[in-house]
Amino acid sequence: ATTTTTTTVPTTILSPKYICYFPPLSSWTATTQPKQLAKQFLELYYAIFSSTTEEEESLAIASLLPFYTPSFQKSISINGVHSVVSANIIALVQQLQYAINTIRNSGTTASGGKLIDIQSVVAQDLSDSGGVLIMVAGTTTNTTTFFSHTVTLVPMRSVPIPTSSSTILPAPGLSEEYHNSNNGNIATTATEKIVVTGYQIYNDAFMLLSSS
C-alpha cells in the first residue's frame, strides 16, 4: 500500500522575518531577463524534488518560502485531487510536501534522489504587470508521468529614501503589502525613479498528468 509521510518545517520558518527575491542583474537585457529569471527559479524550486532525506527536504522547502509574495496563490492537481490556497504558508508547505511524497511513493526513485526530469522551459515577459511567466514541462523519473508547472513572478518596485541612507523600501503598486514595517510612510516625488529590486513568486500552479 502507498504511504505518505509529512516532513516538518520549523515554526520560525513558517513565519519568516525576512524577504527573499530573484535579483535582476545589470548585464541582463530585456531579451535575456525572462530566461535568466527562469534559470534562478528552477535552481531554487526544483531542489525540493532532489532531496534524499527529510532534513534536506525541509531545508529546501524552507529556503523557498520567503520567495513568495504575502498574497501568493498556490494550486496543485494530482491524481484527481485539486487544491488552491492563497496567502497561507502552512497550506503552501502541505501542498509542496504532498506533491513530493506523491511522486516519491509512486515508484522507484532515480539515483541521487531526483524525482523530476525537466524537458522544456518557456519564459516570457508579462507586459501588463512587468512580471515574468514561466512554463515548465517534463516527466517524473520513476513512473514517466507527465507534469506541467506554471509560475508567475512579479516585480518588487522600490524607490530610494531621500536621505543619506542607502536603504530601499517598496514603492506603491504590487508591493504595497510590504509597507507595514514602515507604516506606509514612503517618500514619493516626481524626481524619484522607481526601480525593480527583484522578483517574487505570486502564482504557482503544479499539475501531475496521467501518463495515458
Side-chain angles (χ1 to χ4, degrees):
T2 299
T3 59
T4 301
T5 58
T6 302
T7 56
T8 301
V9 177
T11 303
T12 53
I13 298 298
L14 293 177
S15 301
K17 303 299 183 183
Y18 51 91
I19 297 170
C20 294
Y21 53 83
F22 303 102
L25 302 180
S26 58
S27 60
W28 295 357
T29 65
T31 303
T32 62
Q33 178 165 290
K35 179 180 178 180
Q36 295 297 335
L37 285 171
K39 182 179 179 181
Q40 288 187 14
F41 168 78
L42 292 174
E43 289 177 352
L44 176 73
Y45 195 102
Y46 280 83
I48 69 175
F49 293 111
S50 298
S51 54
T52 57
T53 66
E54 283 194 4
E55 182 179 7
E56 287 182 359
E57 181 180 310
S58 293
L59 289 174
I61 292 176
S63 297
L64 181 62
L65 300 184
F67 283 84
Y68 284 85
T69 69
S71 57
F72 72 84
Q73 295 177 345
K74 174 77 175 84
S75 64
I76 60 171
S77 179
I78 298 177
N79 298 333
V81 176
H82 308 281
S83 175
V84 180
V85 300
S86 180
N88 186 322
I89 288 292
I90 294 177
L92 168 61
V93 172
Q94 291 172 338
Q95 280 199 359
L96 293 171
Q97 291 174 332
Y98 181 73
I100 294 167
N101 291 324
T102 298
I103 297 172
R104 179 180 290 128
N105 293 329
S106 63
T108 304
T109 303
S111 60
K114 185 178 179 182
L115 298 174
I116 289 289
D117 271 332
I118 297 173
Q119 297 182 345
S120 65
V121 179
V122 176
Q124 63 185 46
D125 283 317
L126 296 174
S127 57
D128 57 337
S129 67
V132 173
L133 175 67
I134 301 172
M135 294 170 284
V136 187
T139 62
T140 61
T141 58
N142 48 15
T143 59
T144 319
T145 300
F146 295 98
F147 77 89
S148 174
H149 191 190
T150 303
V151 172
T152 302
L153 303 182
V154 294
M156 295 175 61
R157 292 188 171 93
S158 303
V159 293
I161 301 174
T163 65
S164 58
S165 171
S166 60
T167 305
I168 299 294
L169 287 178
L174 290 174
S175 301
E176 63 184 8
E177 55 262 73
Y178 294 102
H179 291 190
N180 295 336
S181 61
N182 195 47
N183 296 319
N185 298 321
I186 295 181
T188 55
T189 68
T191 59
E192 288 177 332
K193 180 181 179 181
I194 296 178
V195 297
V196 174
T197 55
Y199 293 79
Q200 289 192 302
I201 303 168
Y202 171 66
N203 188 280
D204 176 1
F206 184 87
M207 179 180 291
L208 199 59
L209 308 171
S210 171
S211 56
S212 61

PDB file of all heavy atoms in Angstrom, residues 75-107:
ATOM      1  N   SER A  75      -1.536  26.344  -6.303  1.00  0.00           N
ATOM      2  CA  SER A  75      -2.503  25.291  -6.596  1.00  0.00           C
ATOM      3  C   SER A  75      -1.783  24.043  -7.078  1.00  0.00           C
ATOM      4  O   SER A  75      -0.711  24.116  -7.677  1.00  0.00           O
ATOM      5  CB  SER A  75      -3.503  25.760  -7.669  1.00  0.00           C
ATOM      6  OG  SER A  75      -2.836  25.994  -8.899  1.00  0.00           O
ATOM      7  N   ILE A  76      -2.375  22.890  -6.790  1.00  0.00           N
ATOM      8  CA  ILE A  76      -1.869  21.622  -7.289  1.00  0.00           C
ATOM      9  C   ILE A  76      -3.048  20.788  -7.791  1.00  0.00           C
ATOM     10  O   ILE A  76      -4.167  20.919  -7.308  1.00  0.00           O
ATOM     11  CB  ILE A  76      -1.082  20.811  -6.231  1.00  0.00           C
ATOM     12  CG1 ILE A  76      -1.970  20.479  -5.020  1.00  0.00           C
ATOM     13  CG2 ILE A  76       0.175  21.526  -5.808  1.00  0.00           C
ATOM     14  CD1 ILE A  76      -1.323  19.500  -4.060  1.00  0.00           C
ATOM     15  N   SER A  77      -2.755  19.942  -8.763  1.00  0.00           N
ATOM     16  CA  SER A  77      -3.739  18.993  -9.270  1.00  0.00           C
ATOM     17  C   SER A  77      -3.012  17.672  -9.480  1.00  0.00           C
ATOM     18  O   SER A  77      -2.171  17.552 -10.365  1.00  0.00           O
ATOM     19  CB  SER A  77      -4.336  19.491 -10.589  1.00  0.00           C
ATOM     20  OG  SER A  77      -5.284  18.559 -11.088  1.00  0.00           O
ATOM     21  N   ILE A  78      -3.309  16.685  -8.615  1.00  0.00           N
ATOM     22  CA  ILE A  78      -2.616  15.400  -8.643  1.00  0.00           C
ATOM     23  C   ILE A  78      -3.622  14.268  -8.463  1.00  0.00           C
ATOM     24  O   ILE A  78      -4.373  14.250  -7.484  1.00  0.00           O
ATOM     25  CB  ILE A  78      -1.544  15.318  -7.533  1.00  0.00           C
ATOM     26  CG1 ILE A  78      -0.472  16.395  -7.736  1.00  0.00           C
ATOM     27  CG2 ILE A  78      -0.890  13.943  -7.498  1.00  0.00           C
ATOM     28  CD1 ILE A  78       0.585  16.430  -6.661  1.00  0.00           C
ATOM     29  N   ASN A  79      -3.623  13.354  -9.405  1.00  0.00           N
ATOM     30  CA  ASN A  79      -4.494  12.172  -9.303  1.00  0.00           C
ATOM     31  C   ASN A  79      -5.951  12.528  -9.013  1.00  0.00           C
ATOM     32  O   ASN A  79      -6.623  11.893  -8.206  1.00  0.00           O
ATOM     33  CB  ASN A  79      -3.975  11.226  -8.219  1.00  0.00           C
ATOM     34  CG  ASN A  79      -2.584  10.693  -8.542  1.00  0.00           C
ATOM     35  OD1 ASN A  79      -2.205  10.590  -9.705  1.00  0.00           O
ATOM     36  ND2 ASN A  79      -1.827  10.365  -7.508  1.00  0.00           N
ATOM     37  N   GLY A  80      -6.436  13.574  -9.662  1.00  0.00           N
ATOM     38  CA  GLY A  80      -7.818  13.978  -9.473  1.00  0.00           C
ATOM     39  C   GLY A  80      -8.067  14.814  -8.242  1.00  0.00           C
ATOM     40  O   GLY A  80      -9.199  15.228  -7.978  1.00  0.00           O
ATOM     41  N   VAL A  81      -7.022  15.066  -7.453  1.00  0.00           N
ATOM     42  CA  VAL A  81      -7.141  15.902  -6.255  1.00  0.00           C
ATOM     43  C   VAL A  81      -6.693  17.317  -6.602  1.00  0.00           C
ATOM     44  O   VAL A  81      -5.586  17.522  -7.092  1.00  0.00           O
ATOM     45  CB  VAL A  81      -6.277  15.356  -5.100  1.00  0.00           C
ATOM     46  CG1 VAL A  81      -6.354  16.291  -3.900  1.00  0.00           C
ATOM     47  CG2 VAL A  81      -6.732  13.960  -4.720  1.00  0.00           C
ATOM     48  N   HIS A  82      -7.572  18.291  -6.369  1.00  0.00           N
ATOM     49  CA  HIS A  82      -7.275  19.679  -6.683  1.00  0.00           C
ATOM     50  C   HIS A  82      -7.280  20.498  -5.393  1.00  0.00           C
ATOM     51  O   HIS A  82      -8.158  20.327  -4.552  1.00  0.00           O
ATOM     52  CB  HIS A  82      -8.308  20.245  -7.655  1.00  0.00           C
ATOM     53  CG  HIS A  82      -8.515  19.409  -8.879  1.00  0.00           C
ATOM     54  ND1 HIS A  82      -7.647  19.417  -9.950  1.00  0.00           N
ATOM     55  CD2 HIS A  82      -9.491  18.518  -9.199  1.00  0.00           C
ATOM     56  CE1 HIS A  82      -8.071  18.578 -10.877  1.00  0.00           C
ATOM     57  NE2 HIS A  82      -9.187  18.017 -10.438  1.00  0.00           N
ATOM     58  N   SER A  83      -6.311  21.365  -5.261  1.00  0.00           N
ATOM     59  CA  SER A  83      -6.224  22.206  -4.068  1.00  0.00           C
ATOM     60  C   SER A  83      -5.699  23.582  -4.453  1.00  0.00           C
ATOM     61  O   SER A  83      -4.731  23.686  -5.221  1.00  0.00           O
ATOM     62  CB  SER A  83      -5.301  21.567  -3.027  1.00  0.00           C
ATOM     63  OG  SER A  83      -5.108  22.421  -1.915  1.00  0.00           O
ATOM     64  N   VAL A  84      -6.344  24.623  -3.939  1.00  0.00           N
ATOM     65  CA  VAL A  84      -5.927  26.001  -4.185  1.00  0.00           C
ATOM     66  C   VAL A  84      -5.845  26.726  -2.851  1.00  0.00           C
ATOM     67  O   VAL A  84      -6.779  26.657  -2.048  1.00  0.00           O
ATOM     68  CB  VAL A  84      -6.914  26.746  -5.110  1.00  0.00           C
ATOM     69  CG1 VAL A  84      -6.443  28.179  -5.355  1.00  0.00           C
ATOM     70  CG2 VAL A  84      -7.075  26.017  -6.431  1.00  0.00           C
ATOM     71  N   VAL A  85      -4.729  27.380  -2.600  1.00  0.00           N
ATOM     72  CA  VAL A  85      -4.577  28.152  -1.366  1.00  0.00           C
ATOM     73  C   VAL A  85      -4.075  29.542  -1.713  1.00  0.00           C
ATOM     74  O   VAL A  85      -3.483  29.761  -2.774  1.00  0.00           O
ATOM     75  CB  VAL A  85      -3.595  27.479  -0.373  1.00  0.00           C
ATOM     76  CG1 VAL A  85      -4.095  26.102   0.015  1.00  0.00           C
ATOM     77  CG2 VAL A  85      -2.197  27.400  -0.959  1.00  0.00           C
ATOM     78  N   SER A  86      -4.324  30.479  -0.818  1.00  0.00           N
ATOM     79  CA  SER A  86      -3.877  31.849  -1.017  1.00  0.00           C
ATOM     80  C   SER A  86      -3.391  32.423   0.302  1.00  0.00           C
ATOM     81  O   SER A  86      -4.110  32.366   1.304  1.00  0.00           O
ATOM     82  CB  SER A  86      -5.013  32.699  -1.573  1.00  0.00           C
ATOM     83  OG  SER A  86      -4.610  34.039  -1.768  1.00  0.00           O
ATOM     84  N   ALA A  87      -2.170  32.940   0.281  1.00  0.00           N
ATOM     85  CA  ALA A  87      -1.609  33.645   1.442  1.00  0.00           C
ATOM     86  C   ALA A  87      -1.644  32.811   2.719  1.00  0.00           C
ATOM     87  O   ALA A  87      -1.879  33.327   3.805  1.00  0.00           O
ATOM     88  CB  ALA A  87      -2.334  34.973   1.655  1.00  0.00           C
ATOM     89  N   ASN A  88      -1.396  31.514   2.604  1.00  0.00           N
ATOM     90  CA  ASN A  88      -1.390  30.623   3.766  1.00  0.00           C
ATOM     91  C   ASN A  88      -0.135  29.756   3.704  1.00  0.00           C
ATOM     92  O   ASN A  88      -0.067  28.795   2.940  1.00  0.00           O
ATOM     93  CB  ASN A  88      -2.644  29.749   3.767  1.00  0.00           C
ATOM     94  CG  ASN A  88      -2.779  28.907   5.016  1.00  0.00           C
ATOM     95  OD1 ASN A  88      -1.802  28.387   5.547  1.00  0.00           O
ATOM     96  ND2 ASN A  88      -4.000  28.751   5.506  1.00  0.00           N
ATOM     97  N   ILE A  89       0.868  30.120   4.495  1.00  0.00           N
ATOM     98  CA  ILE A  89       2.162  29.448   4.435  1.00  0.00           C
ATOM     99  C   ILE A  89       2.058  27.975   4.820  1.00  0.00           C
ATOM    100  O   ILE A  89       2.664  27.104   4.186  1.00  0.00           O
ATOM    101  CB  ILE A  89       3.191  30.150   5.354  1.00  0.00           C
ATOM    102  CG1 ILE A  89       3.596  31.501   4.745  1.00  0.00           C
ATOM    103  CG2 ILE A  89       4.429  29.294   5.536  1.00  0.00           C
ATOM    104  CD1 ILE A  89       4.393  31.393   3.466  1.00  0.00           C
ATOM    105  N   ILE A  90       1.292  27.666   5.856  1.00  0.00           N
ATOM    106  CA  ILE A  90       1.170  26.271   6.299  1.00  0.00           C
ATOM    107  C   ILE A  90       0.546  25.417   5.198  1.00  0.00           C
ATOM    108  O   ILE A  90       1.019  24.318   4.902  1.00  0.00           O
ATOM    109  CB  ILE A  90       0.337  26.184   7.589  1.00  0.00           C
ATOM    110  CG1 ILE A  90       1.085  26.875   8.742  1.00  0.00           C
ATOM    111  CG2 ILE A  90       0.041  24.735   7.949  1.00  0.00           C
ATOM    112  CD1 ILE A  90       0.326  26.902  10.046  1.00  0.00           C
ATOM    113  N   ALA A  91      -0.512  25.929   4.563  1.00  0.00           N
ATOM    114  CA  ALA A  91      -1.149  25.202   3.469  1.00  0.00           C
ATOM    115  C   ALA A  91      -0.196  25.068   2.285  1.00  0.00           C
ATOM    116  O   ALA A  91      -0.193  24.054   1.587  1.00  0.00           O
ATOM    117  CB  ALA A  91      -2.430  25.903   3.042  1.00  0.00           C
ATOM    118  N   LEU A  92       0.615  26.072   2.044  1.00  0.00           N
ATOM    119  CA  LEU A  92       1.611  26.015   0.971  1.00  0.00           C
ATOM    120  C   LEU A  92       2.597  24.887   1.216  1.00  0.00           C
ATOM    121  O   LEU A  92       2.903  24.090   0.316  1.00  0.00           O
ATOM    122  CB  LEU A  92       2.354  27.349   0.877  1.00  0.00           C
ATOM    123  CG  LEU A  92       3.613  27.388  -0.002  1.00  0.00           C
ATOM    124  CD1 LEU A  92       3.279  27.054  -1.456  1.00  0.00           C
ATOM    125  CD2 LEU A  92       4.285  28.758   0.091  1.00  0.00           C
ATOM    126  N   VAL A  93       3.105  24.790   2.438  1.00  0.00           N
ATOM    127  CA  VAL A  93       4.040  23.719   2.788  1.00  0.00           C
ATOM    128  C   VAL A  93       3.384  22.355   2.603  1.00  0.00           C
ATOM    129  O   VAL A  93       3.990  21.424   2.061  1.00  0.00           O
ATOM    130  CB  VAL A  93       4.538  23.881   4.243  1.00  0.00           C
ATOM    131  CG1 VAL A  93       5.355  22.658   4.676  1.00  0.00           C
ATOM    132  CG2 VAL A  93       5.390  25.140   4.373  1.00  0.00           C
ATOM    133  N   GLN A  94       2.132  22.234   3.023  1.00  0.00           N
ATOM    134  CA  GLN A  94       1.422  20.961   2.887  1.00  0.00           C
ATOM    135  C   GLN A  94       1.268  20.572   1.420  1.00  0.00           C
ATOM    136  O   GLN A  94       1.405  19.399   1.055  1.00  0.00           O
ATOM    137  CB  GLN A  94       0.054  21.056   3.563  1.00  0.00           C
ATOM    138  CG  GLN A  94       0.137  21.155   5.085  1.00  0.00           C
ATOM    139  CD  GLN A  94      -1.212  21.431   5.726  1.00  0.00           C
ATOM    140  OE1 GLN A  94      -2.130  21.945   5.077  1.00  0.00           O
ATOM    141  NE2 GLN A  94      -1.336  21.115   7.008  1.00  0.00           N
ATOM    142  N   GLN A  95       0.998  21.547   0.560  1.00  0.00           N
ATOM    143  CA  GLN A  95       0.875  21.263  -0.866  1.00  0.00           C
ATOM    144  C   GLN A  95       2.207  20.790  -1.451  1.00  0.00           C
ATOM    145  O   GLN A  95       2.254  19.832  -2.222  1.00  0.00           O
ATOM    146  CB  GLN A  95       0.399  22.510  -1.623  1.00  0.00           C
ATOM    147  CG  GLN A  95      -1.084  22.759  -1.551  1.00  0.00           C
ATOM    148  CD  GLN A  95      -1.548  23.693  -2.653  1.00  0.00           C
ATOM    149  OE1 GLN A  95      -0.763  24.181  -3.459  1.00  0.00           O
ATOM    150  NE2 GLN A  95      -2.841  23.934  -2.716  1.00  0.00           N
ATOM    151  N   LEU A  96       3.288  21.468  -1.096  1.00  0.00           N
ATOM    152  CA  LEU A  96       4.606  21.088  -1.595  1.00  0.00           C
ATOM    153  C   LEU A  96       4.968  19.675  -1.139  1.00  0.00           C
ATOM    154  O   LEU A  96       5.469  18.855  -1.919  1.00  0.00           O
ATOM    155  CB  LEU A  96       5.660  22.093  -1.119  1.00  0.00           C
ATOM    156  CG  LEU A  96       5.556  23.504  -1.699  1.00  0.00           C
ATOM    157  CD1 LEU A  96       6.517  24.439  -0.975  1.00  0.00           C
ATOM    158  CD2 LEU A  96       5.855  23.502  -3.191  1.00  0.00           C
ATOM    159  N   GLN A  97       4.712  19.385   0.128  1.00  0.00           N
ATOM    160  CA  GLN A  97       5.013  18.058   0.659  1.00  0.00           C
ATOM    161  C   GLN A  97       4.161  16.984  -0.011  1.00  0.00           C
ATOM    162  O   GLN A  97       4.646  15.888  -0.305  1.00  0.00           O
ATOM    163  CB  GLN A  97       4.787  18.042   2.172  1.00  0.00           C
ATOM    164  CG  GLN A  97       5.787  18.876   2.953  1.00  0.00           C
ATOM    165  CD  GLN A  97       5.449  18.951   4.430  1.00  0.00           C
ATOM    166  OE1 GLN A  97       4.286  18.850   4.816  1.00  0.00           O
ATOM    167  NE2 GLN A  97       6.453  19.130   5.269  1.00  0.00           N
ATOM    168  N   TYR A  98       2.907  17.298  -0.274  1.00  0.00           N
ATOM    169  CA  TYR A  98       2.014  16.338  -0.920  1.00  0.00           C
ATOM    170  C   TYR A  98       2.514  15.997  -2.319  1.00  0.00           C
ATOM    171  O   TYR A  98       2.525  14.824  -2.717  1.00  0.00           O
ATOM    172  CB  TYR A  98       0.602  16.900  -0.987  1.00  0.00           C
ATOM    173  CG  TYR A  98      -0.397  15.959  -1.626  1.00  0.00           C
ATOM    174  CD1 TYR A  98      -0.835  14.826  -0.953  1.00  0.00           C
ATOM    175  CD2 TYR A  98      -0.904  16.206  -2.896  1.00  0.00           C
ATOM    176  CE1 TYR A  98      -1.748  13.952  -1.526  1.00  0.00           C
ATOM    177  CE2 TYR A  98      -1.815  15.347  -3.476  1.00  0.00           C
ATOM    178  CZ  TYR A  98      -2.239  14.219  -2.791  1.00  0.00           C
ATOM    179  OH  TYR A  98      -3.136  13.364  -3.371  1.00  0.00           O
ATOM    180  N   ALA A  99       2.938  17.008  -3.061  1.00  0.00           N
ATOM    181  CA  ALA A  99       3.457  16.775  -4.406  1.00  0.00           C
ATOM    182  C   ALA A  99       4.725  15.910  -4.368  1.00  0.00           C
ATOM    183  O   ALA A  99       4.864  14.948  -5.124  1.00  0.00           O
ATOM    184  CB  ALA A  99       3.751  18.107  -5.094  1.00  0.00           C
ATOM    185  N   ILE A 100       5.624  16.237  -3.463  1.00  0.00           N
ATOM    186  CA  ILE A 100       6.881  15.485  -3.340  1.00  0.00           C
ATOM    187  C   ILE A 100       6.609  14.035  -2.962  1.00  0.00           C
ATOM    188  O   ILE A 100       7.132  13.094  -3.586  1.00  0.00           O
ATOM    189  CB  ILE A 100       7.802  16.131  -2.281  1.00  0.00           C
ATOM    190  CG1 ILE A 100       8.251  17.527  -2.740  1.00  0.00           C
ATOM    191  CG2 ILE A 100       9.033  15.251  -2.016  1.00  0.00           C
ATOM    192  CD1 ILE A 100       8.895  18.340  -1.652  1.00  0.00           C
ATOM    193  N   ASN A 101       5.800  13.831  -1.937  1.00  0.00           N
ATOM    194  CA  ASN A 101       5.549  12.478  -1.439  1.00  0.00           C
ATOM    195  C   ASN A 101       4.750  11.635  -2.420  1.00  0.00           C
ATOM    196  O   ASN A 101       4.968  10.424  -2.532  1.00  0.00           O
ATOM    197  CB  ASN A 101       4.830  12.542  -0.090  1.00  0.00           C
ATOM    198  CG  ASN A 101       5.721  13.089   1.019  1.00  0.00           C
ATOM    199  OD1 ASN A 101       6.920  12.821   1.029  1.00  0.00           O
ATOM    200  ND2 ASN A 101       5.146  13.863   1.916  1.00  0.00           N
ATOM    201  N   THR A 102       3.827  12.255  -3.149  1.00  0.00           N
ATOM    202  CA  THR A 102       3.056  11.511  -4.148  1.00  0.00           C
ATOM    203  C   THR A 102       3.966  10.967  -5.232  1.00  0.00           C
ATOM    204  O   THR A 102       3.872   9.803  -5.635  1.00  0.00           O
ATOM    205  CB  THR A 102       1.975  12.405  -4.786  1.00  0.00           C
ATOM    206  OG1 THR A 102       1.069  12.835  -3.778  1.00  0.00           O
ATOM    207  CG2 THR A 102       1.203  11.636  -5.850  1.00  0.00           C
ATOM    208  N   ILE A 103       4.881  11.800  -5.701  1.00  0.00           N
ATOM    209  CA  ILE A 103       5.816  11.365  -6.744  1.00  0.00           C
ATOM    210  C   ILE A 103       6.789  10.327  -6.190  1.00  0.00           C
ATOM    211  O   ILE A 103       7.042   9.295  -6.819  1.00  0.00           O
ATOM    212  CB  ILE A 103       6.585  12.570  -7.308  1.00  0.00           C
ATOM    213  CG1 ILE A 103       5.612  13.544  -7.992  1.00  0.00           C
ATOM    214  CG2 ILE A 103       7.658  12.113  -8.286  1.00  0.00           C
ATOM    215  CD1 ILE A 103       6.248  14.846  -8.415  1.00  0.00           C
ATOM    216  N   ARG A 104       7.312  10.581  -4.996  1.00  0.00           N
ATOM    217  CA  ARG A 104       8.300   9.671  -4.418  1.00  0.00           C
ATOM    218  C   ARG A 104       7.704   8.284  -4.161  1.00  0.00           C
ATOM    219  O   ARG A 104       8.368   7.262  -4.364  1.00  0.00           O
ATOM    220  CB  ARG A 104       8.841  10.256  -3.115  1.00  0.00           C
ATOM    221  CG  ARG A 104       9.880   9.338  -2.432  1.00  0.00           C
ATOM    222  CD  ARG A 104      10.397   9.944  -1.151  1.00  0.00           C
ATOM    223  NE  ARG A 104      11.240  11.099  -1.414  1.00  0.00           N
ATOM    224  CZ  ARG A 104      11.078  12.293  -0.859  1.00  0.00           C
ATOM    225  NH1 ARG A 104      10.068  12.499  -0.028  1.00  0.00           N
ATOM    226  NH2 ARG A 104      11.904  13.279  -1.145  1.00  0.00           N
ATOM    227  N   ASN A 105       6.463   8.229  -3.724  1.00  0.00           N
ATOM    228  CA  ASN A 105       5.853   6.947  -3.354  1.00  0.00           C
ATOM    229  C   ASN A 105       5.205   6.206  -4.523  1.00  0.00           C
ATOM    230  O   ASN A 105       4.688   5.108  -4.347  1.00  0.00           O
ATOM    231  CB  ASN A 105       4.784   7.180  -2.277  1.00  0.00           C
ATOM    232  CG  ASN A 105       5.385   7.653  -0.961  1.00  0.00           C
ATOM    233  OD1 ASN A 105       6.510   7.297  -0.640  1.00  0.00           O
ATOM    234  ND2 ASN A 105       4.642   8.459  -0.229  1.00  0.00           N
ATOM    235  N   SER A 106       5.245   6.802  -5.709  1.00  0.00           N
ATOM    236  CA  SER A 106       4.574   6.188  -6.851  1.00  0.00           C
ATOM    237  C   SER A 106       5.453   5.213  -7.626  1.00  0.00           C
ATOM    238  O   SER A 106       4.993   4.567  -8.559  1.00  0.00           O
ATOM    239  CB  SER A 106       4.072   7.275  -7.812  1.00  0.00           C
ATOM    240  OG  SER A 106       5.161   8.016  -8.334  1.00  0.00           O
ATOM    241  N   GLY A 107       6.724   5.100  -7.254  1.00  0.00           N
ATOM    242  CA  GLY A 107       7.605   4.175  -7.960  1.00  0.00           C
ATOM    243  C   GLY A 107       9.011   4.237  -7.419  1.00  0.00           C
ATOM    244  O   GLY A 107       9.245   4.742  -6.329  1.00  0.00           O
TER     245      GLY A 107
END
